[in-house]
Amino acid sequence: QVQLVQSGAEVKKPGASVKVSCKASGYTFTSYDINWVRQATGQGLEWMGWMNPNSGNTGYAQKFQGRVTMTRNTSISTAYMELSSLRSEDTAVYYCARTIIRGDEVAFDIWGQGTMVTVSS
Amino acid sequence: DIQMTQSPSSLSASVGDRVTITCRASQSISSYLNWYQQKPGKAPKLLIYAASSLQSGVPSRFSGSGSGTDFTLTISSLQPEDFATYYCQQSYSTPWGFGQGTRLEIK
């Protein structure tokens, strides 16, 4: 079935970087954009950016510009999100999500299970 | 950036009730509005896209309406599995922001 499977939980110190993976299966990886969304404990959803797995083109939310990098390895149908200069406020669950486009409408139809990233000294 | 505001922030209702959740955009977004359901410890699930189109596999008791700045999600007859948090999301322009969420609780 169509699914996105993410890497496991991470614990990082302030100032470090984290790289989360998102492996796609059940569909053609390069045919759908991948987005990253995070959620701090008890809080709402925050969109971080998107990546086109075919071209490698990316678009990041202004808030994360300069700190986030989204990449992919098409040979293993896997997308990556790397966040650098981590601070305590980056402690959250990070989700990858597949984009569907219906006409010119965009939505996120398949989500990974989430990866907990804890930033603590 | 377009701001999305949901109301109410929380809501108590009973099985069988009809429930409406509202989402307002800070500027017109035409029909570029999606609704998601999230249960504790789980990833969000797409319910409605393009303001009123039901995602495949989603029960017909869920419906969406609206355009411009004002949108609603309606659950016609609440079922036990519907108690969750609901988020709207605009897809008019990046950043594709979400509302703050509406927590639907059992009365």
Side-chain angles (χ1 to χ4, degrees):
Chain A
Q1 73 278 25
V2 175
Q3 61 179 353
L4 298 171
V5 178
Q6 299 182 221
S7 49
E10 302 265 12
V11 179
K12 296 291 183 181
K13 294 192 181 303
S17 297
V18 68
K19 190 171 186 177
V20 179
S21 68
C22 171
K23 182 173 177 59
S25 61
Y27 74 95
T28 301
F29 176 62
T30 51
S31 295
Y32 299 84
D33 289 357
I34 292 287
N35 288 263
W36 290 87
V37 176
R38 76 178 187 180
Q39 184 172 40
T41 302
Q43 302 301 306
L45 301 168
E46 182 175 31
W47 180 77
M48 299 179 68
W50 63 268
M51 181 194 65
N52 180 303
N54 186 46
S55 64
N57 289 345
T58 56
Y60 304 141
Q62 183 73 22
K63 175 177 180 177
F64 300 101
Q65 287 273 4
R67 279 211 304 146
V68 70
T69 305
M70 296 177 187
T71 57
R72 87 292 190 208
N73 182 335
T74 56
S75 67
I76 56 171
S77 300
T78 300
Y80 303 92
M81 186 284 299
E82 184 170 21
L83 188 62
S84 62
S85 302
L86 289 169
R87 37 215 189 221
S88 58
E89 310 89 88
D90 294 318
T91 294
V93 175
Y94 289 76
Y95 293 102
C96 59
R98 188 181 81 162
T99 306
I100 54 163
I101 299 176
R102 304 281 169 83
D104 58 352
E105 302 274 358
V106 170
F108 303 164
D109 70 331
I110 304 295
W111 294 65
Q113 82 277 18
T115 296
M116 182 71 213
V117 175
T118 302
V119 182
S120 174
S121 56
Chain B
D1 296 358
I2 299 172
Q3 304 304 313
M4 307 301 294
T5 304
Q6 290 181 230
S7 61
S9 295
S10 63
L11 175 61
S12 295
S14 301
V15 172
D17 283 354
R18 180 184 180 90
V19 166
T20 298
I21 298 169
T22 297
C23 179
R24 175 165 288 177
S26 60
Q27 66 180 73
S28 177
I29 57 170
S30 184
S31 63
Y32 294 86
L33 191 283
N34 307 314
W35 289 98
Y36 299 85
Q37 175 195 68
Q38 187 180 33
K39 296 182 179 179
K42 299 295 186 182
K45 172 186 175 182
L46 178 64
L47 299 176
I48 301 283
Y49 64 94
S52 60
S53 297
L54 196 66
Q55 172 67 352
S56 175
V58 174
S60 59
R61 63 181 179 273
F62 291 92
S63 64
S65 65
S67 66
T69 61
D70 294 317
F71 302 87
T72 59
L73 172 71
T74 299
I75 310 172
S76 60
S77 177
L78 272 174
Q79 298 302 300
E81 60 268 28
D82 300 337
F83 292 94
T85 300
Y86 293 84
Y87 293 93
C88 62
Q89 178 205 24
Q90 65 85 12
S91 58
Y92 181 81
S93 64
T94 58
W96 291 321
F98 295 85
Q100 82 279 15
T102 294
R103 184 175 178 182
L104 179 53
E105 300 173 318
I106 301 173
K107 183 182 288 184

